[in-house]
Amino acid sequence: MRRTRFKHVCLAALLTLAGLGGAGTVPAVASGGGATASPSPSDAGAAPASAALLDAMRQEFGLTEEQAVARLEAERAATALEPRARRTAGAAYAGSWFDAADGRLTVAVTSESSQATRAAIRAEGAGVRVVEHSSRVLDAAKSRIDRLSAPSGVGGWHVDAAANTVVVTVVRGEDSDNDVQRFLGQARAAGPVSVETVAATPRTFAAGTVGGDPYYTGNVRCSIGFSVHGGFVTAGHCGQAGAGVRGWDGSYIGNFQGSSFPDNDYAWVNVGSGWWTVPVVLGWGTVSDQLVRGSAEAPVGASVCRSGSTTHWHCGTVLAKNETVNYSQGAVHQMTKTSVCAEGGDSGGSFISGDQAQGVTSGGWGNCTGGGETWFQPVNEILNRYGLTLHTY
């Protein structure tokens, strides 16, 4: 019965651009399906956006259909342009981000850059902003902060290219705490630092066992991230290496083959016992199920959506990259910060921009009633760490 249901879902999803599955849960599992290579960034988003995705963009960002189409096209162009602009800027590179108001990538360069370099970046289609500190300087400052021990009143820290500084977040009401002040003094000594206030301390989004969800390990429920050949990737805090995994129906899927948390928050699970992998992210009836075509990394400022077993489908924007998040269990590095909400049980679930896989849900603060922020562990880092190949359509 289970095999028939999932075969139907898999075929339905693969027969159309955006998939036909509604709110049902598709477990990510491995079978003998033929491997397909991930498309290059230049191939990203070649297929037109589904009507349901455009509708979600309209609701989330207040856009008309024409504006939603234009934004998705501009984000795809910015995603492809970002690595070229970085190479053109060379040592003067100071970061980049997608400017939704301008509809293009903005590249920051230091005053040491030549007029010819700036002209070349503009010729590629990007805007240029001259700033004081290079990415190398800012990254070095963040690395020095990474070596510090942060108190619980500190939410995390990341390089903000647009602000040209390392932003340290402090939980509201904790800014006068002696340990927080001591940490901020050490952080400022590490390099260019600014401080922002956040509403709450980040936490992971695992949850106790409830019925009808993608997978369980022990008494914890989490969400499948992305199918890879041989299994799926998810969050490391959801289970340790060797732990068994059960699917939505309680049947055995496989085991955690690798897991890292804290320091990182990623893991992968092998699959078998009649389960197989499909390159699909659930839209939960809010949008059509989304096919995964690659893993080109979206720039800061781009739209991104998340699928999870508790709060299902929600969208927002990429706010920052390479942020260190200070959970109660310890710091986790190289995270991407988003304006998307999440709740317990969404951990491990998919972050996707267009049809490009971005990462797996780690944690955050807030909820999907009052809003909040959520971080994900970039999927390409997970693939590289374990030598995995993303299952794409």
Side-chain angles (χ1 to χ4, degrees):
M1 188 68 167
R2 185 186 66 225
R3 284 175 185 251
T4 302
R5 177 191 177 214
F6 290 128
K7 185 176 293 183
H8 171 75
V9 173
C10 179
L11 291 175
L14 296 178
L15 283 172
T16 63
L17 168 66
L20 294 178
T25 299
V26 182
V29 277
S31 76
T36 55
S38 298
S40 66
S42 61
D43 297 326
S50 68
L53 177 58
L54 294 176
D55 185 59
M57 295 282 290
R58 290 199 302 268
Q59 293 182 36
E60 185 67 33
F61 300 110
L63 305 175
T64 66
E65 181 174 344
E66 292 75 14
Q67 289 171 332
V69 170
R71 173 158 178 169
L72 289 172
E73 291 176 349
E75 289 177 355
R76 285 194 289 267
T79 297
L81 174 57
E82 189 173 37
R84 300 202 304 271
R86 180 190 293 264
R87 289 192 296 269
T88 301
Y93 181 75
S96 59
W97 59 94
F98 177 75
D99 188 332
D102 198 30
R104 61 177 179 172
L105 188 73
T106 297
V107 179
V109 295
T110 65
S111 58
E112 297 174 353
S113 61
S114 67
Q115 291 292 342
T117 295
R118 299 174 202 175
I121 294 172
R122 292 189 182 99
E124 291 177 331
V128 174
R129 181 183 297 181
V130 180
V131 296
E132 181 179 358
H133 307 292
S134 69
S135 285
R136 183 169 52 190
V137 169
L138 296 176
D139 290 342
K142 180 185 176 293
S143 294
R144 287 189 284 271
I145 299 173
D146 283 343
R147 293 193 285 270
L148 302 176
S149 178
S152 60
V154 174
W157 49 96
H158 67 274
V159 171
D160 186 330
N164 198 228
T165 185
V166 179
V167 175
V168 178
T169 58
V170 174
V171 179
R172 185 177 298 124
E174 299 288 336
D175 52 319
S176 60
D177 178 82
N178 289 337
D179 290 338
V180 171
Q181 286 298 313
R182 185 178 304 109
F183 178 85
L184 292 177
Q186 295 171 326
R188 290 187 175 103
V193 164
S194 62
V195 179
E196 293 182 358
T197 301
V198 293
T201 303
R203 58 184 175 84
T204 55
F205 285 128
T209 300
V210 295
D213 297 294
Y215 82 88
Y216 308 95
T217 177
N219 65 343
V220 171
R221 168 171 59 85
C222 282
S223 302
I224 290 168
F226 292 96
S227 291
V228 296
H229 292 289
F232 65 83
V233 294
T234 187
H237 71 263
C238 290
Q240 297 181 342
V245 172
R246 292 170 286 121
W248 65 275
D249 60 352
S251 66
Y252 173 76
I253 294 178
N255 296 79
F256 279 84
Q257 297 298 299
S259 179
S260 178
F261 179 79
D263 187 30
N264 305 293
D265 194 6
Y266 51 59
W268 81 282
V269 175
N270 72 320
V271 299
S273 303
W275 295 71
W276 62 89
T277 59
V278 289
V280 172
V281 172
L282 290 173
W284 294 98
T286 302
V287 300
S288 299
D289 295 346
Q290 302 295 297
L291 293 178
V292 178
R293 298 180 182 273
S295 58
E297 185 178 332
V300 169
S303 61
V304 67
C305 296
R306 179 193 56 74
S307 181
S309 62
T310 298
T311 57
H312 299 170
W313 182 270
H314 288 274
C315 300
T317 56
V318 177
L319 299 178
K321 296 184 181 182
N322 192 26
E323 177 155 8
T324 300
V325 179
N326 189 38
Y327 293 133
S328 61
Q329 301 95 328
V332 176
H333 303 93
Q334 296 178 306
M335 301 271 271
T336 297
K337 180 181 183 179
T338 76
S339 64
V340 187
C341 67
E343 296 179 14
D346 287 328
S347 278
S350 321
F351 265 90
I352 188 167
S353 183
D355 54 16
Q356 299 296 301
Q358 299 298 306
V360 300
T361 303
S362 174
W365 62 268
N367 54 52
C368 289
T369 300
E373 294 176 335
T374 303
W375 285 262
F376 66 78
Q377 186 89 71
V379 69
N380 287 331
E381 180 183 359
I382 310 172
L383 300 177
N384 292 335
R385 168 63 180 84
Y386 295 118
L388 301 170
T389 300
L390 187 67
H391 190 168
T392 59
Y393 175 70

